[in-house]
Amino acid sequence: MRQQQRRDMITQAYMTAVWSRANKLPKLESILAKQEHTTKQPNKKRVHTPEQMLEFAKMVQASYEENQQ
């Protein structure tokens, strides 16, 4: 079984236990609406300038060379 699947199953079991102990549950519609809202938003990707990407590449190269010695 994949590690992510295990994490998902543990999270589901944990949340089930937490919800079973709750005194008052929120309305299901509000929970589903919130979940739907968060999944519809695309992940914002950071935009890097060519200079930033070059600087990062230099740092990675320097680290690589340092570890080779």
Side-chain angles (χ1 to χ4, degrees):
M1 194 181 313
R2 290 187 3 237
Q3 183 176 0
Q4 184 61 43
Q5 287 175 320
R6 275 188 294 241
R7 289 180 57 98
D8 291 344
M9 291 172 66
I10 291 169
T11 300
Q12 183 176 0
Y14 175 83
M15 295 305 293
T16 300
V18 169
W19 282 51
S20 68
R21 291 176 174 84
N23 292 332
K24 182 179 177 190
L25 292 175
K27 292 188 182 230
L28 179 60
E29 292 82 16
S30 66
I31 296 168
L32 293 175
K34 183 177 179 182
Q35 187 273 336
E36 197 172 296
H37 175 71
T38 58
T39 57
K40 284 186 178 180
Q41 293 178 344
N43 293 338
K44 293 181 180 177
K45 294 185 179 182
R46 293 179 59 188
V47 178
H48 299 288
T49 65
E51 291 81 13
Q52 290 172 321
M53 291 189 290
L54 179 60
E55 191 61 36
F56 179 75
K58 287 178 181 179
M59 288 183 345
V60 170
Q61 181 65 30
S63 176
Y64 174 76
E65 289 173 358
E66 186 177 289
N67 290 331
Q68 291 298 314
Q69 296 175 355

